[in-house]
Amino acid sequence: MGGARDVIVDVLEFVEDDEHFGVLLEKAGHPLSGRIRRVSSQHWLRNLGATRSRVLFWRNIKRVVAALGIIHARGLVHGLLTADVIMTEGSDEPDFQVGGFEWSLRVSGDAVGQVPASVMPRKSAETARRYSFAEDWRALGFLAANCLDAEVLPSGNVAPRTGSPSSIVLQPPEQIFLKRLSRLGAWTNSTQIRSAAPWTTSSPISVSSQLPTQAVSS
């Protein structure tokens, strides 16, 4: 696993005027949300029920975990982690990078979790209620679940997304990981995430045997 530049899109410039604010990022693939819509039905992003595709997916999520660990270590909360800010070419090697820092905020240790996110666009119940490291991890849980055509129910259980034609069957380690990740405050740092992630446990999809075993830097 490389360093920050390998898993985080370089910020080239912050731009703003009287009405708008934006971040100019280095070219680094396409948003995951758009890539999923545009690839063929045979592409691995559209076939996450297959073993090889699922292993590649979790290897990519491992990169996002590494990126959040680096971001949080610098005292930053990402603030709006969705498929729109994950950049990828959809290649056959892990290449997910985290971008979209327009809503990021630097917070001090005692302020983490206390800063309301009222300035952020509220699109769904999955949108962060406040700025915190835990909310970033929670957002990652919803992101991963959505990619797998699943949803985390109010009860905390993980189930196929309503109306989804997908036949993806999540293994117990994956369900437990998504359930805990989506529970606000269940984990607060990348070390805890890594210790319970699907790539560190045995499962019928052989995630642990096919993923790199070296630790992810945080």
Side-chain angles (χ1 to χ4, degrees), residues 50-178:
T51 299
R52 180 179 176 278
S53 298
R54 190 94 118 264
V55 169
L56 182 52
F57 171 74
W58 285 117
R59 290 179 71 185
N60 271 304
I61 293 298
K62 184 176 182 179
R63 291 172 60 86
V64 180
V65 169
L68 284 181
I70 293 169
I71 293 166
H72 292 172
R74 295 178 179 178
L76 293 171
V77 173
H78 186 281
L80 197 61
L81 190 72
T82 68
D84 293 331
V85 304
I86 303 299
M87 309 303 289
T88 179
E89 292 288 359
S91 69
D92 290 334
E93 292 295 328
D95 70 345
F96 281 14
Q97 289 184 291
V98 175
F101 295 99
E102 293 88 344
W103 298 101
S104 296
L105 182 71
R106 185 178 299 279
V107 292
S108 62
D110 57 356
V112 172
Q114 305 302 316
V115 183
S118 57
V119 297
M120 296 172 58
R122 293 297 301 273
K123 295 182 179 180
S124 72
E126 298 175 9
T127 304
R129 292 183 288 266
R130 63 182 66 249
Y131 281 96
S132 72
F133 299 154
E135 283 283 6
D136 278 351
W137 296 122
R138 178 174 175 267
L140 176 57
F142 283 117
L143 167 62
N146 285 336
C147 288
L148 294 167
D149 286 335
E151 60 183 340
V152 182
L153 304 175
S155 64
N157 294 325
V158 179
R161 189 166 59 228
T162 303
S164 171
S166 173
S167 58
I168 295 176
V169 177
L170 298 183
Q171 302 300 326
E174 297 173 301
Q175 294 187 40
I176 293 170
F177 180 66
L178 292 174

Side-chain angles (χ1 to χ4, degrees), residues 4-20:
R5 295 193 64 177
D6 184 49
V7 295
I8 298 173
V9 181
D10 274 351
V11 176
L12 302 179
E13 184 180 2
F14 291 93
V15 293
E16 62 179 313
D17 57 25
D18 292 339
E19 298 182 358
H20 302 93

Side-chain angles (χ1 to χ4, degrees), residues 59 62 194 199-200 207-216:
R59 290 179 71 185
K62 184 176 182 179
R194 292 196 306 269
W199 56 79
T200 62
V207 170
S208 61
S209 64
Q210 298 187 47
L211 291 179
T213 55
Q214 66 265 31
V216 179

